[in-house]
């Protein structure tokens, strides 16, 4: 037997093992509140932005794991409408991170079949960055391995207000307005609601994230800061999800 044969055998055994560890029921749409970057940095005596940068690194591992686990849509909360109230340097830093992620990662994301989308209000963002985001969306619009929805300048209440304005602007009559129509006017109008919403860092809050779409989601609160949330942590979240019984308000 040659060394290369041995390597091949080892690889396929590992893959087999990885598959065995996969949960049976995998959520189609996972949404994540990536919390705890600041505390992660503080623990290490680093500036808060170092925590946000570290929180970009593990994102790559999480995207790979999503594809491996069979998750089709990942929505991440990268910048909330409330985050404008943070110190100017941190806000600027988060804008730069978005720019750098697009500059550095877009080609690979595209090659890997990731469809990039944005939810939220882009109009308050620097026009050059807006352009970058819109170009990235255009470039990747036909990819279908994983939809990555980036919530940036996003707020759940602002999204509902936006939807109401659009409904009124389009002249819908009161009797036409039902839950399906409101869902259609949400930023995620053509996507299924999240099945699983994860928040890292141990905080038990929704913080204005997908408050319409999350009505029947399962929630999982991971006891680690976002930069430490890796493939194994995602696996744990999915195992918890797969063990829950979703009833959607019905009886068993
Ligand atoms: C919350 O942690 C995190 C954020 C407000 C920013 C999240 C951004 C990233 C992970 C970078 C990836 C971004 C893009 C655009 C892909 P926190 O600062 O509230 O942490 P703390 O509660 O410990 O202070």
């Amino acid at each position: 037997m040659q060394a290369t044969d041995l390597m091949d055998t080892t690889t396929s055994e590992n893959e087999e093992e990885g598959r065995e560890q996969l949960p049976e029921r995998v959520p189609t749409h996972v949404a994540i509140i990536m919390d705890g970057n600041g505390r992660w940095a503080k623990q290490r005596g680093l500036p808060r932005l170092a925590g946000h940068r570290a929180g970009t690194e593990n994102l790559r591992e999480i995207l790979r794991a999503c594809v491996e686990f069979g998750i089709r849509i990942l929505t991440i909360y990268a910048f909330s409408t409330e985050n404008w109230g943070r110190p100017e340097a941190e806000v600027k830093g988060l804008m730069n991170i978005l720019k750098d992620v697009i500059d550095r990662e877009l080609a690979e994301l595209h090659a890997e079949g990731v469809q990039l989308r944005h939810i939220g209000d882009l109009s308050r963002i620097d026009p050059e960055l807006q352009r970058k985001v819109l170009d990235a969306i255009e470039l990747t619009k036909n990819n279908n391995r994983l939809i990555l929805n980036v919530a940036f300048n996003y707020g759940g209440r602002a999204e509902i207000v936006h939807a109401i304005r659009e409904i009124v602007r389009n002249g819908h009559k009161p009797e036409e307005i039902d839950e399906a129509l409101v869902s259609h006017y949400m930023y995620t109008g053509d996507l299924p609601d999240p099945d699983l919403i994860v928040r890292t860092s141990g905080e038990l809050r929704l913080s204005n994230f997908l408050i319409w779409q999350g009505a029947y989601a399962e929630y999982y609160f991971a006891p680690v800061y976002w930069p430490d949330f890796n493939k194994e942590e995602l696996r744990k979240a999915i195992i918890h999800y797969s063990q829950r019984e979703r009833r959607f308000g019905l009886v068993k």
Side-chain angles (χ1 to χ4, degrees), residues 124-192:
R124 210 179 144 183
I125 314 284
D126 167 69
E128 204 182 311
L129 184 52
Q130 277 185 44
R131 192 68 265 149
K132 265 187 198 299
V133 173
L134 294 174
D135 288 349
I137 292 169
E138 180 61 26
L139 175 74
T140 61
K141 69 180 180 193
N142 295 320
N143 294 342
N144 59 10
R145 214 155 156 224
L146 177 77
I147 294 178
L148 174 62
N149 250 335
V150 181
F152 201 91
N153 194 21
Y154 171 87
R157 288 187 172 184
E159 179 181 30
I160 293 170
V161 170
H162 175 263
I164 294 169
R165 286 193 178 146
E166 289 303 303
I167 289 169
V168 172
R169 215 189 309 277
N170 286 322
H172 287 287
K173 298 195 183 71
E175 29 326 333
E176 284 171 16
I177 301 173
D178 58 14
E179 292 183 15
L181 185 99
V182 176
S183 289
H184 172 77
Y185 276 92
M186 292 288 147
Y187 295 128
T188 53
D190 62 335
L191 297 176

Side-chain angles (χ1 to χ4, degrees), residues 34-39 48 52 55-56 59 76-78 83 86 90 94 97-98 101 152 226:
M34 308 182 291
D35 195 16
N37 297 347
R39 279 163 285 168
R48 292 178 57 80
H52 296 314
T56 315
L59 202 45
I76 53 171
Y77 205 5
N83 287 157
R86 293 194 173 198
E90 186 170 346
L94 285 165
I97 287 179
L98 179 61
V101 167
F152 201 91
W226 169 249

Side-chain angles (χ1 to χ4, degrees), residues 185-235:
Y185 276 92
M186 292 288 147
Y187 295 128
T188 53
D190 62 335
L191 297 176
D193 286 341
D195 304 290
L196 171 66
I197 298 183
V198 176
R199 182 174 190 141
T200 58
S201 92
E203 302 287 350
L204 308 180
R205 282 191 297 276
L206 294 187
S207 300
N208 205 9
F209 187 49
L210 301 178
I211 52 179
W212 173 271
Q213 299 91 328
Y216 286 104
E218 295 293 333
Y219 287 83
Y220 177 78
F221 298 94
V224 296
Y225 296 141
W226 169 249
D228 293 328
F229 189 85
N230 56 18
K231 179 177 167 181
E232 285 320 302
E233 294 295 331
L234 180 63
R235 193 196 302 277

Side-chain angles (χ1 to χ4, degrees), residues 18-81:
R19 261 195 297 276
E20 271 167 28
Q21 286 169 13
L22 284 181
E24 259 176 41
R25 200 161 57 93
V26 171
T28 302
H29 184 174
V30 174
I32 306 185
I33 302 173
M34 308 182 291
D35 195 16
N37 297 347
R39 279 163 285 168
W40 182 93
K42 195 173 173 200
Q43 258 185 358
R44 290 160 176 77
L46 297 168
R48 292 178 57 80
L49 270 174
H52 296 314
R53 295 251 168 223
T56 315
E57 291 307 310
N58 62 318
L59 202 45
R60 205 176 291 140
E61 178 175 341
I62 294 302
L63 289 174
R64 288 230 163 80
C66 283
V67 172
E68 186 185 323
F69 292 164
I71 293 163
R72 302 309 306 264
I73 306 161
L74 176 68
T75 299
I76 53 171
Y77 205 5
F79 190 90
S80 76
T81 46

